[in-house]
Structures are given as C-alpha cells and as structure tokens.
Amino acid sequence: MVPDILVWISLAAFLGGIGWKVWGWFKGSLRREGGWGRLGAALRGIYGTILSRKVLVLLKALLLDVVLQLRTYREDRYRWLMHLLLYWGFGLLIITHALGKVLIEGYVSTAMPFLFLRDLFGAMALVGASMAAGRRLRGIPRFRSAPMDVYAIVVVALILLSGFLLKGVRITSYRAYLGMVSEYAALSEEEGRALEAYWVRNFGLVSPNIREVPEELVSEGAEVHEFSCASCHASPRWAFLSYGISKAVRPLARPLDRFGVPGGLRWFHVLLCLFALAILPFTKFFHLISVPLSLLLNAVIDPRRSSPLNLETKRMVELDACVHCGTCTAKCAVSATTEVIPNRAILPSEKIPSLKTLASGKPLGDEGLREILEGVYLCTNCLRCTVSCPSGIDLQELWFEAREALLQRGLVDPVLLTPFSFYRGLRREDVGEGYQRPILSLRERISRAFGPPVEPLSIGPPEVLDLSSDARTFRVCFSCQTCTNVCPVVSQYERPKEVLGLLPHQIMRACALGLREMALGAPMLWMCLTCYQCQELCPQGVNVTDVLIELRGLMVKALKEGRDEVRPVSGM
C-alpha cells in the first residue's frame, strides 16, 4: 500500500497550486491593478448572478457548453468526439475509481458495476487520447505542438495503460491472490484448494500448484467463492480490456510474480497519478477547471455592463483556459503572414504564453515585447479566432487589451498609423485619455527620421529604391493625377495635402526623382486603404498601391533598425 503521507503531500500540493492560480486571476492584469478589490468585485458578481435570472443562463451554458460541449461540436465533430471521450472518460474514471471510496458508499473496485465501468471509462479516455495524438501528428497548418501538449497526451496514456496492465497482471498473479485470501477469508486447507481451483478455471488465476482442475474441486470452490468472495469479486471477464491483457501475459505470469512486477506496477501507477495530481495546476490539465469556468463567465458577463474589475478577472481566467488546440490559428486571417515575417506571435495560439507572462508582471525582454506588439497589431479584428475558440475565450478583447497595455509602456509600432488600427479608433472611449499619446509619439519619430531637409533640395540623378520589379513601375508615371482623383482617402479631406503630406501621384514623382526621405515621410503611406483603385485605373500601368505598400515596409524596417534614413541598394 502507498503510505498515506504521499497522498496527503500530493493533495496539499494540488490544493496549494489551485489557490495560487486562483489568486493569480485576481492579482494578474494586462492594464488594471489587481488584488483584493477584484476579489471583492468577483464575490459581489457571483452573489448578484445567483439571485438573478442570469442563473438560468448559467445553467444553460453548463449543460450545452460544458457538459455537451456544443461549441466544439459546431466547429469540428472530430475534436468534439475526442474531447467528450477524454473529458468524460477520464472524469468518470476519477469519480468511479480514484475517488470511489470517498464518493461512493460501499465501493469495491473488484465488484460490479465498478469492475466494468473502470474499463469502459478507461477505454473511452484511451480512444480520446489516441485521437488527440493522431490530430497532433497530422498537423495543423503553421501550428506547432508545444512540449506541454505532448506531456498531457503522454501522461494520460501512461496512467491509462499502466492501470490496464496492472489489473491484467494482478488477475494472473498468484501472490496477489494469496494476499487477498489471507486478508479477507479464513479458509481451511481443503477450502483453500477448492477456491484456488475455481479461480484458476473462472478468474484467470495462474497457480503453481494446480495444473489440471478436477470438476468436483471446481464445484466445491464455487460454493466457497459464493460464501467468501462473491460479494466483492465479480468475474474479471467484465473488465474486458484488463482481462484481454491478462490472457496475453498468462505465459509470463509466474516470472512476473517471482520478480514482484505486480507490486512494482502498482507503485508506478499510483505514484504517477499522485505526481500528475500534485502538478496539475501548473500543467495543461488545469484546463479541466479553467475551461468550464471561462465558458460560464462568458455566458453571464456583459462586456458593456459588467464591472471593469470583473472583466479583467475574466481575462485572466481566459488566459489559463487556452488549451493550445490550434483552432484559432487554423482560422486566423493573417496566419499566412508568418511565412514572410518570422514572428510566431502573429498566430493567435502563440500570443497567449506571452500575454500570460505580461499579465503576471514577469519580464518578456525587448525582443519578446517587440514580437507580441507586432503580433497584436497585425490582427485584423475579424473575430474568427473568438468565434471558433472552443474554450469560449474572447480573444479579440485580449488582443485589444494587450495593445493598450504595450502602448502604456511607451511601445509603439508603425502599424498604429495604418487602417489596422481602425478597431482601436472605434474603441477610443474605452482607451480614454491615452488614445492620442502613442500616435503623436510615433508621428514625431517619423518626422525626425524622414521629415523635409533643412537645406534646399538638390535634385540629382534618380536613385533606385530597394523595391520589387512591380513596385519600380513608378518610373513611367507622368503625373496625370488619376490615382489621386480616384483615391477614397484623398476625397475625405477639403485640404488633403495638409493631412496627407504628399498625394499618391506626388509620391510616385518623388520616387522617380530619387527623393527617398520625402516619399517615406508622407503620412499618405499610413492612410492608404489598399483598395487598389489607383492601381487599376492608372493609364500607364503603374502599380501605385504596390509602391505605397513597399515604401511602408521600408519605413517599418528602418524604424525597427533605428536608422535615420533608408538607403538605396543600387543607383542608376
């Protein structure tokens, strides 16, 4: 038997970890302060929900989203079946086996129906784990499994397989049989021999004493079994997987018994379970708690009416509810960008670890901050990730909060001046007084780096910018102004040149004249909507939009490298 002290240590580590994680939900924050104030707001919110009609919404979400997992069903039926088998198989196995003595009165693991249910629920979880492994092996475009994903599947598989193997070996074990008889039955020598014969014939026992089993001895053993063992020992055939394993290991039963393999397997299985329990709050298994909680919170919390403190706590729960399944990355509208920009933080599923670090107050490092800043700004706010998330996480809101948290730290990205920040403009009231600060800071930086020269310009031989062959078509522009006339951005202003610096046709001429800094300093580069009307209607075939996009790219590259100018690669 495993010492009780190990069980208590494992349980204490589990409860301590849960407490630490829960306190992290109230302490951690992307933008707002955390602590006891958030805990009080959460308690008031729980009290108000229970005493209102929202409790019906809560029960509906519990049934549909947690129990039946319909969110996952709507997205992917394969994953829905996989989750149901894993979640309910493992969960019911814990209830009817691991915690059977605690939760079920009169529980005996070798009696019916528990003997059958243990193998049934274990088989469900094993099939689910196999489906999860198969999904990971098949791969998801641009998605990589993390070490914790592999750990979760391996640990579940080890627990289940070691449990089945342990039961199978114990069915054949003569040593285990003797231990059971000595502890629970006071039999005479004749009764003992009869019972042993019965178990050899019907229970798969491998005995060193009985090679041929007389029928009359088996009949006597049946009576002894009915009187002494039947109340707590059903036929092991009900444990269909374990019994199958016992038949496979039967030729090795005596050597395995001799070397104490059943006892060693028991120690391995129990210690593995206790270890997994102890570190559960710090592994992917914590989503068994955080995902249902995230689904329930999103069902009852109204982003427009709920307390900002409770909204921040909800976001911290959501960060822990991510299971790194890759669904959001598979749906992401900009995931293909990672093929040209080597930044994994562009992918939704890969942003979460950085945001958890950011929310906990731990340092991300300059490179980590730049990567997550670029990742949240390249988001197009299409809501695909939020709609498809099986954990119910409002990913769109997480990216928005992360943007503002990084801007509050003084970090800015040139994309802030592009239409990618349109969503931020719509949320201007939520941002508050700090809305203009990063925009003005970035404009000042661009003005310093690419503003008009102090001395008069001297126009010499034109220089070729480092642009693609499509973008170099600016050379044939003769300033007919068609691009400017059809531009929807230009048409929005009474005095567009005051706002945009240079108009589209003027940017083409600046490029043709070799005035790099003048072209790169034009706010028009950031205001372009990439509607391609200018490019489609140009009579000279100038790829106007491509030129603007590539000039913007040169500007971003120069700002990231800290340079004051963008130099040409070659001249004419």
Side-chain angles (χ1 to χ4, degrees):
M1 295 295 292
V2 176
D4 289 343
I5 185 64
L6 294 180
V7 177
W8 285 110
I9 290 174
S10 177
L11 187 60
F14 169 75
L15 294 176
I18 293 292
W20 179 260
K21 295 291 285 189
V22 171
W23 175 240
W25 293 341
F26 300 109
K27 184 180 179 183
S29 176
L30 287 172
R31 280 208 294 158
R32 295 175 175 82
E33 292 296 326
W36 294 108
R38 290 237 304 267
L39 177 59
L43 293 174
R44 290 191 295 273
I46 294 171
Y47 180 76
T49 299
I50 293 175
L51 297 182
S52 70
R53 285 183 292 181
K54 283 186 177 181
V55 72
L56 299 177
V57 178
L58 198 68
L59 293 174
K60 179 182 177 182
L62 180 64
L63 174 63
L64 300 182
D65 294 336
V66 178
V67 177
L68 300 179
Q69 300 190 23
L70 292 188
R71 286 181 64 95
T72 306
Y73 178 82
R74 287 190 290 266
E75 286 297 321
D76 187 337
R77 294 185 183 181
Y78 179 92
R79 288 190 60 242
W80 171 76
L81 180 59
M82 178 190 79
H83 273 222
L84 277 188
L85 290 172
L86 263 174
Y87 190 81
W88 284 112
F90 209 79
L92 291 171
L93 189 63
I94 291 173
I95 294 172
T96 60
H97 182 54
L99 300 178
K101 292 183 178 179
V102 177
L103 301 178
I104 303 172
E105 185 177 355
Y107 170 82
V108 179
S109 64
T110 53
M112 286 293 289
F114 309 111
L115 189 66
F116 170 75
L117 292 178
R118 181 181 61 234
D119 271 36
L120 175 63
F121 297 147
M124 288 170 55
L126 193 58
V127 171
S130 301
M131 293 175 69
R135 180 175 179 268
R136 298 281 173 177
L137 291 174
R138 286 199 309 272
I140 302 169
R142 293 177 286 276
F143 176 79
R144 300 175 192 166
S145 293
M148 187 54 68
D149 303 326
V150 179
Y151 161 84
I153 295 174
V154 169
V155 168
V156 168
L158 281 177
I159 289 175
L160 295 171
L161 291 174
S162 64
F164 284 127
L165 183 59
L166 171 60
K167 180 59 180 176
V169 171
R170 284 180 63 85
I171 288 173
T172 66
S173 173
Y174 188 67
R175 181 179 294 183
Y177 166 78
L178 290 180
M180 180 270 299
V181 171
S182 64
E183 184 173 358
Y184 296 105
L187 304 177
S188 66
E189 184 176 347
E190 184 178 345
E191 289 174 331
R193 184 171 175 79
L195 181 64
E196 188 174 321
Y198 179 82
W199 275 55
V200 169
R201 171 66 66 84
N202 296 290
F203 278 53
L205 175 66
V206 176
S207 170
N209 305 318
I210 300 178
R211 300 187 182 278
E212 295 183 5
V213 186
E215 286 296 331
E216 61 274 10
L217 198 59
V218 174
S219 299
E220 293 177 17
E223 295 179 7
V224 177
H225 173 79
E226 188 68 28
F227 179 77
S228 303
C229 307
S231 61
C232 56
H233 278 85
S235 172
R237 288 182 174 84
W238 285 106
F240 50 94
L241 277 180
S242 301
Y243 190 73
I245 292 174
S246 75
K247 295 179 70 173
V249 302
R250 190 167 297 170
L252 302 173
R254 294 183 65 184
L256 292 176
D257 224 13
R258 189 180 307 119
F259 291 106
V261 171
L265 272 174
R266 180 178 177 81
W267 273 96
F268 175 79
H269 179 70
V270 174
L271 289 178
L272 181 61
C273 292
L274 292 178
F275 174 75
L277 176 66
I279 66 171
L280 182 147
F282 309 101
T283 65
K284 187 174 179 177
F285 291 122
F286 188 63
H287 76 265
L288 295 171
I289 298 171
S290 58
V291 170
L293 187 57
S294 171
L295 291 167
L296 296 177
L297 288 175
N298 277 285
V300 297
I301 288 184
D302 185 344
R304 293 296 177 185
R305 297 180 181 178
S306 298
S307 163
L309 298 178
N310 286 336
L311 289 174
E312 191 69 11
T313 302
K314 179 180 78 76
R315 294 183 197 110
M316 297 303 102
V317 175
E318 289 175 330
L319 288 177
D320 276 331
C322 174
V323 298
H324 201 247
C325 64
T327 301
C328 53
T329 289
K331 300 281 186 177
C332 180
V334 296
S335 63
T337 308
T338 56
E339 296 180 8
V340 293
I341 300 177
N343 181 1
R344 299 289 298 171
I346 293 172
L347 304 175
S349 58
E350 310 311 308
K351 291 185 182 75
I352 298 295
S354 296
L355 295 190
K356 291 176 73 171
T357 302
L358 193 67
S360 67
K362 298 176 182 177
L364 262 177
D366 293 340
E367 185 63 27
L369 286 171
R370 282 194 294 270
E371 286 182 354
I372 191 61
L373 180 67
E374 184 175 60
V376 295
Y377 263 111
L378 285 179
C379 169
T380 60
N381 307 294
C382 65
L383 283 172
R384 291 180 182 179
C385 56
T386 296
V387 172
S388 64
C389 178
S391 299
I393 304 172
D394 191 348
L395 295 166
Q396 181 91 23
E397 191 66 17
L398 281 177
W399 311 151
F400 178 79
E401 290 294 318
R403 289 189 195 107
E404 298 309 312
L406 293 167
L407 292 177
Q408 286 179 1
R409 296 182 176 215
L411 298 170
V412 291
D413 189 280
V415 182
L416 181 66
L417 301 180
T418 72
F420 278 114
S421 274
F422 176 65
Y423 182 73
R424 184 173 185 264
L426 293 178
R427 299 284 300 275
R428 183 169 182 170
E429 292 183 0
D430 296 335
V431 177
E433 297 179 357
Y435 176 76
Q436 284 285 357
R437 191 182 307 117
I439 298 176
L440 296 176
S441 171
L442 187 57
R443 284 177 177 170
E444 181 182 352
R445 182 180 170 192
I446 292 175
S447 178
R448 287 198 308 267
F450 304 103
V454 177
E455 299 179 358
L457 290 170
S458 58
I459 302 176
E463 296 178 287
V464 180
L465 287 169
D466 184 21
L467 303 181
S468 67
S469 57
D470 288 339
R472 288 183 184 180
T473 53
F474 62 74
R475 298 175 184 176
V476 296
C477 172
F478 59 85
S479 298
C480 69
Q481 300 189 33
T482 298
C483 54
T484 296
N485 291 335
V486 300
C487 178
V489 176
V490 174
S491 65
Q492 293 300 307
Y493 302 101
E494 292 185 6
R495 298 182 177 84
K497 197 172 183 307
E498 295 178 6
V499 180
L500 305 176
L502 295 179
L503 305 180
H505 75 281
Q506 293 173 324
I507 293 177
M508 299 304 108
R509 293 307 299 153
C511 291
L513 294 171
L515 303 177
R516 303 179 306 278
E517 286 77 15
M518 178 179 286
L520 293 169
M524 178 65 212
L525 296 180
W526 308 105
M527 304 293 283
C528 172
L529 298 173
T530 62
C531 65
Y532 284 91
Q533 291 193 57
C534 55
Q535 186 161 311
E536 292 173 354
L537 296 175
C538 177
Q540 286 291 93
V542 177
N543 294 334
V544 182
T545 305
D546 292 341
V547 174
L548 298 180
I549 291 174
E550 294 203 29
L551 289 175
R552 183 191 297 171
L554 283 178
M555 166 82 80
V556 171
K557 182 179 179 182
L559 289 176
K560 287 185 176 181
E561 295 176 354
R563 296 187 296 159
D564 293 333
E565 62 178 347
V566 179
R567 303 181 186 279
V569 173
S570 60
M572 292 189 66

